[in-house]
């Protein structure tokens, strides 16, 4: 079996530099052809290169599912044009606008930073066609970095409370488990790319961490 560990842009913080759905994976334009092909093979989706306008931290600045994309206000016309070929697109109307960091979403639901406005929540709801609820994971408001959600399960920060787990299970209607990446980092959203078909973890992740990921997200036989 192919190793599930990789670096993107020389970093094991995969969720900072990339964002994936069940249809595609968004990557910085400077990702090499070999890495791009490996990512496509593991996630079983087409890679889309995002131009430098939004910066290389694509995963931090874009939240995505099969319906659409909520992006940082720093996204330029080229970024928006590319994304509109693949779904609905809206800029996050908020001072806190690193969309990938503050939204944890799959194709049916989204947990978002508690300080987002009603307008911002409505934008997420309409663009991504999801049910939206404010909340935290392990007391952290940057829920997009504290968790990973696919259409099969959730992996979240190990300090998540029982109350937070109950909220997540009710909102997403999926099992929730805890884990780490990259030799013990609790910010699993920063070091993991996953969809319904596969996953990739940061290069420093251990075999035990990969096992936990596979169990939580439904990849164990």
């Amino acid at each position: 079996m192919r190793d599930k560990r990789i670096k993107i842009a020389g970093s094991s913080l995969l969720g900072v530099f990339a964002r994936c759905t069940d249809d595609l994976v968004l990557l910085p334009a400077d990702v090499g052809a070999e890495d791009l092909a490996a990512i496509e093979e593991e996630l079983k989706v087409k890679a889309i290169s995002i131009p430098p306008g939004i910066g290389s931290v694509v995963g931090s600045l874009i939240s995505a599912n099969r319906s659409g994309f909520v992006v940082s206000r720093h996204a330029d016309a080229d970024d928006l044009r590319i994304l509109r070929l693949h779904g609905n697109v809206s800029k996050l109307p908020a001072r806190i606008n690193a969309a990938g960091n503050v939204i944890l979403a799959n194709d049916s639901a989204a947990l978002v930073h508690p300080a987002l406005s009603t307008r911002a929540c409505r934008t997420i709801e309409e663009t991504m066609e999801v049910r939206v609820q404010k909340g935290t994971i392990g007391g952290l408001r940057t829920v997009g970095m504290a968790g990973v959600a696919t259409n099969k399960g959730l992996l979240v920060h190990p300090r998540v409370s029982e109350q937070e787990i109950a909220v997540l299970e009710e909102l997403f209607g999926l099992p929730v488990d805890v884990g780490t990446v990259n030799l013990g980092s609790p910010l699993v959203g920063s070091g993991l790319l996953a969809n319904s078909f596969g996953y990739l973890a940061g290069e420093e992740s251990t075999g035990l961490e990969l096992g936990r990921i596979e169990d939580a997200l439904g990849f164990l036989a």
Side-chain angles (χ1 to χ4, degrees):
M1 185 177 67
R2 187 186 178 97
D3 194 350
K4 301 288 190 178
R5 291 169 280 210
I6 197 171
K7 287 186 175 181
I8 293 177
S11 172
S12 288
L13 299 177
L14 310 187
V16 171
F17 291 96
R19 177 68 54 193
C20 71
T21 73
D22 281 0
D23 285 336
L24 53 80
V25 56
L26 304 174
L27 296 168
D30 59 355
V31 171
E34 184 176 343
D35 286 341
L36 189 149
I39 293 166
E40 286 185 326
E41 180 180 348
E42 290 302 329
L43 298 176
K44 298 177 177 59
V45 292
K46 179 69 175 176
I48 307 298
S49 293
I50 299 299
I54 202 168
S56 63
V57 288
V58 170
S60 289
L61 299 179
I62 301 176
S63 183
N65 67 6
R66 297 184 86 169
S67 294
F69 312 89
V70 176
V71 306
S72 161
R73 65 171 178 266
H74 302 299
D76 66 16
D78 285 340
D79 300 323
L80 300 178
R81 176 182 54 79
I82 290 171
L83 293 174
R84 285 189 180 116
L85 297 174
H86 304 283
N88 306 319
V89 183
S90 295
K91 291 187 177 183
L92 186 62
R95 181 180 57 82
I96 306 166
N97 80 116
N101 289 352
V102 300
I103 303 168
L104 176 67
N106 67 3
D107 287 342
S108 61
L111 186 77
V112 304
H113 192 297
L116 289 183
S117 67
T118 300
R119 179 186 174 206
C121 290
R122 188 179 304 116
T123 296
I124 297 164
E125 181 180 50
E126 293 175 353
T127 304
M128 303 180 77
E129 299 178 7
V130 291
R131 178 184 173 198
V132 174
Q133 185 167 333
K134 298 180 183 182
T136 59
I137 297 175
L140 299 175
R141 297 180 165 205
T142 49
V143 293
M145 291 293 100
V148 171
T150 72
N151 293 326
K152 297 167 69 175
L154 285 82
L155 183 76
V156 300
H157 195 295
R159 289 205 306 266
V160 65
S161 69
E162 290 185 9
Q163 182 178 2
E164 289 169 332
I165 288 176
V167 168
L168 290 167
E169 289 178 339
E170 193 281 330
L171 176 63
F172 286 91
L174 292 168
V176 179
D177 203 350
V178 301
T180 59
V181 291
N182 292 326
L183 283 173
S185 170
L187 296 176
V188 292
S190 71
L192 177 63
L193 288 177
N195 61 16
S196 297
F197 313 118
Y199 77 92
L200 288 164
E203 196 171 85
E204 282 76 44
S205 299
T206 68
L208 288 174
E209 288 174 327
L210 297 187
R212 200 62 181 261
I213 292 165
E214 292 176 359
D215 189 28
L217 300 182
F219 296 120
L220 287 181

